[in-house]
Amino acid sequence: MISRRDFLKQASNAALAASAVQPMLAWAVGDSALAVPGKEGLIVRSYRFLDLETPVEFFNTWITTAEHFFVRNHMHEPATFDPSDWKLNVGGEVEKPYTLNLAQLSKLEPHSVVNTLECAGNGRAFQNPRVPGVQWRKGAVSTGRFSGPRLRDLLERAGVRATGKHVMFRGLDQVPGRVPPFIRSIPIEKAMDPDTLVATRMNGTALPEHHGFPARALAPGWVGAASCKWLTEIKVLDKEFDGNFMSPGYRWPNQPGKPGEAVKPEDTHPLTALNVKSLVASPGDGSTVRAGVVHVRGTAWAGEGDVVRVEVSTDDGSTWQPAELGNEKARYAWRLWSFQWKAKSGDYVIAVRATDSLGRTQPMAPVWNPSGYLNNAVDQVKIHVKA
Amino acid sequence: MSKLSCAVIALTALLAVPLVRPQSAASPDLPQGPLQAKAITACTECHEARIILQQRLSKAAWTKEVDKMIKWGGLVEPQDHDPLIDYLSTNFGVDKPEYVADRTGSANPKKTKK
């Protein structure tokens, strides 16, 4: 078993080696394959900067392995990173600003949260009319077990002043050109929630490099953008952070507009929690199955709500049958579901919709918005059943 | 060779690196056309071609994107502004077939459709 010290040493060596081949990529690239160490079979939305989508067929386990966990980067990953030099600054509207190194952070009492992390833009490719951005289809979502100290503990140690209303995260991502840095903030209430973490571990190991090693924010149940990676600064602010990725980025219209119509920034508010949503993981879209009992399965999640019902339709939405929910559950994690379908030969559309404890149910069509966020339309897959 | 010469050569080599981007499976090409070279220098300095290849946008939407990217450091001379938008909306308009993405690893080394 590799020790933490060895791991850090190896990570440090890898970072040093990578820095020698800057500025293109932080890993070796061959001509014949898209090699991303630790990532196998993922859909490449972008290679430089790295954006990888998980194919839905991998959604057959409650916890997504690191190998199959989607990656969303807005910028280039830190390439000249040395864990022994890493520091986390805690400051802003606090009484006692301070700095932690990795060893000091690792000594703080950890807490674990199983969280379904979803990119706000997941499903953007299905918007009509199309909108710009990474054209995620279904798999910019995964579930992991994240561990690390509570953000609340770090903030209380600094002593948050009454003026502290938002908490800003800054990462070590490398910003090209004059692109605004990827800095966002969350309201103080979410920052002080006992499940909001400074996560240092994912699925029982140190955070993988693509997921923010050595530390990331983890705002469970919220859009992935709230959980800044490669964290290096936590700053308490007296108001929402003023930057591109808070406005105009990552905002939702106060009133749904007509598809294709522009929305003024003042008529929007920041995205926070995820919607209720579900996916069919199997059978695959466009696949052929044999008549008889077909095992339909997938996942369903609801941000800060709980999934209470998953229903499946095989007749274009005329009737809906309840699916069976899996036993594994946690407050912010998706539920696996399954449905035994007695299928006769023919062509079908399998549709799935989830309902949550907040009374929300998935719509049949995406709610259009200018950046294509939070598409939680009912998932539909075409199936051919042969005799 | 003097230390100064060495330093100049080293500095020149360093500065030259970002200007030469080898095209490979890791960085597919943008389609040919009069603005291909401009698109490569203006866009792929910060992000690779795939980000463009997967878009299917109207001319109005491409105009907004190009103007945003110029604000963010994309180097587009005034005379290239409108032709670049034409190039992008012609090649990556709403009527184009869906982009087929690669996968990571050796298990499924599917080639990018252009």
Side-chain angles (χ1 to χ4, degrees):
Chain A
M1 192 180 203
I2 186 168
S3 70
R4 182 167 185 83
R5 178 174 291 181
D6 286 340
F7 179 87
L8 293 179
K9 194 173 170 187
Q10 284 177 17
S12 176
N13 289 342
L16 285 172
S19 67
V21 294
Q22 270 292 299
M24 277 200 68
L25 291 168
W27 51 84
V29 172
D31 280 343
S32 57
L34 287 158
V36 181
K39 295 291 177 186
E40 186 72 24
L42 301 193
I43 301 160
V44 181
R45 295 287 167 224
S46 173
Y47 196 58
R48 180 181 66 89
F49 38 85
L50 192 66
D51 286 308
L52 303 175
E53 179 174 332
T54 308
V56 292
E57 62 262 30
F58 292 154
F59 295 148
N60 55 3
T61 56
W62 190 52
I63 301 287
T64 314
T65 63
E67 184 183 41
H68 292 155
F69 210 104
F70 87 101
V71 176
R72 182 10 171 174
N73 292 345
H74 292 76
M75 311 287 166
H76 305 303
E77 294 185 2
T80 53
F81 177 72
D82 183 348
S84 63
D85 288 341
W86 180 84
K87 286 187 173 47
L88 177 62
N89 294 306
V90 182
E93 298 290 321
V94 299
E95 298 297 337
K96 295 167 288 181
Y98 63 93
T99 301
L100 293 175
N101 62 29
L102 190 50
Q104 291 166 323
L105 184 73
S106 302
K107 285 178 187 161
L108 300 181
E109 184 188 349
H111 177 62
S112 285
V113 174
V114 179
N115 181 52
T116 293
L117 200 60
E118 184 184 20
C119 174
N122 194 23
R124 178 179 287 124
F126 301 108
Q127 293 281 356
N128 184 20
R130 299 287 287 264
V131 296
V134 177
Q135 296 298 303
W136 302 111
R137 292 174 72 80
K138 299 181 180 181
V141 59
S142 299
T143 296
R145 185 185 302 277
F146 296 90
S147 307
R150 291 182 166 101
L151 175 59
R152 183 174 74 177
D153 290 349
L154 272 74
L155 293 173
E156 284 178 348
R157 179 174 161 178
V160 177
R161 291 181 179 147
T163 48
K165 303 296 182 198
H166 273 256
V167 177
M168 179 207 97
F169 304 122
R170 182 194 299 272
L172 288 165
D173 337 22
Q174 295 186 338
V175 181
R178 294 196 301 270
V179 177
F182 184 71
I183 299 175
R184 301 194 75 251
S185 68
I186 62 173
I188 191 75
E189 295 79 14
K190 183 67 176 176
M192 298 301 273
D193 186 292
D195 288 325
T196 299
L197 306 180
V198 174
T200 55
R201 298 175 73 77
M202 183 173 116
N203 299 349
T205 66
L207 273 179
E209 58 180 312
H210 306 306
H211 298 287
F213 179 82
R216 70 177 301 168
L218 198 277
W222 281 32
V223 295
S227 296
C228 170
K229 300 194 280 189
W230 310 290
L231 193 60
T232 190
E233 184 184 5
I234 296 169
K235 188 175 182 183
V236 181
L237 306 176
D238 60 359
K239 60 182 184 195
E240 184 180 299
F241 177 72
D242 181 15
N244 177 77
F245 294 98
M246 293 303 293
S247 181
Y250 291 105
R251 296 182 87 83
W252 185 258
N254 295 336
Q255 303 292 333
K258 288 181 187 165
E261 211 168 66
V263 180
K264 292 177 186 166
E266 59 267 33
D267 295 333
T268 63
H269 58 273
L271 295 178
T272 55
L274 293 169
N275 263 335
V276 61
K277 189 166 175 177
S278 58
L279 286 176
V280 178
S282 178
D285 192 21
S287 64
T288 297
V289 297
R290 283 195 176 280
V293 176
V294 175
H295 188 60
V296 184
R297 58 177 178 76
T299 63
W301 63 99
E304 292 182 321
D306 296 322
V307 172
V308 294
R309 189 164 62 249
V310 173
E311 299 164 292
V312 174
S313 174
T314 55
D315 57 5
D316 298 322
S318 296
T319 61
W320 295 84
Q321 307 296 323
E324 187 177 341
L325 293 175
N327 291 328
E328 292 168 304
K329 59 180 177 178
R331 180 167 178 202
Y332 301 102
W334 63 22
R335 299 285 294 272
L336 299 181
W337 58 264
S338 61
F339 177 72
Q340 307 293 329
W341 174 39
K342 290 174 186 162
K344 295 176 182 172
S345 60
D347 291 304
Y348 297 88
V349 173
I350 300 176
V352 58
R353 74 177 179 200
T355 301
D356 76 359
S357 55
L358 305 174
R360 304 180 298 181
T361 300
Q362 294 180 249
M364 287 303 291
V367 177
W368 192 90
N369 60 101
S371 295
Y373 295 133
L374 296 184
N375 178 357
N376 70 330
V378 164
D379 188 26
Q380 303 184 55
V381 296
K382 290 179 181 171
I383 302 292
H384 177 66
V385 181
K386 65 178 181 183
Chain B
M1 194 181 289
S2 72
K3 282 182 182 174
L4 181 63
S5 304
C6 289
V8 168
I9 290 168
L11 186 63
T12 307
L14 196 66
L15 291 173
V17 169
L19 304 176
V20 183
R21 296 221 183 273
Q23 299 292 304
S24 69
S27 52
D29 291 316
L30 286 165
Q32 291 191 337
L35 267 292
Q36 182 196 34
K38 171 47 59 184
I40 290 171
T41 55
C43 309
T44 68
E45 185 63 29
C46 290
H47 60 77
E48 62 153 328
R50 265 186 201 85
I51 286 290
I52 301 168
L53 300 177
Q54 66 193 264
Q55 308 298 324
R56 298 291 179 267
L57 300 174
S58 66
K59 189 169 181 177
W62 272 120
T63 303
K64 278 180 77 173
E65 283 306 295
V66 167
D67 289 346
K68 180 173 84 175
M69 294 304 168
I70 290 171
K71 196 172 75 179
W72 285 1
L75 296 174
V76 181
E77 292 75 18
Q79 68 271 20
D80 290 330
H81 178 266
D82 291 353
L84 179 61
I85 290 164
D86 286 340
Y87 167 83
L88 293 168
S89 43
T90 300
N91 286 293
F92 310 107
V94 293
D95 56 339
K96 295 295 176 187
E98 200 65 27
Y99 172 75
V100 179
D102 300 287
R103 290 200 182 195
T104 61
S106 52
N108 186 10
K110 200 163 49 176
K111 292 291 177 190
T112 307
K113 299 280 190 299
K114 291 177 185 166

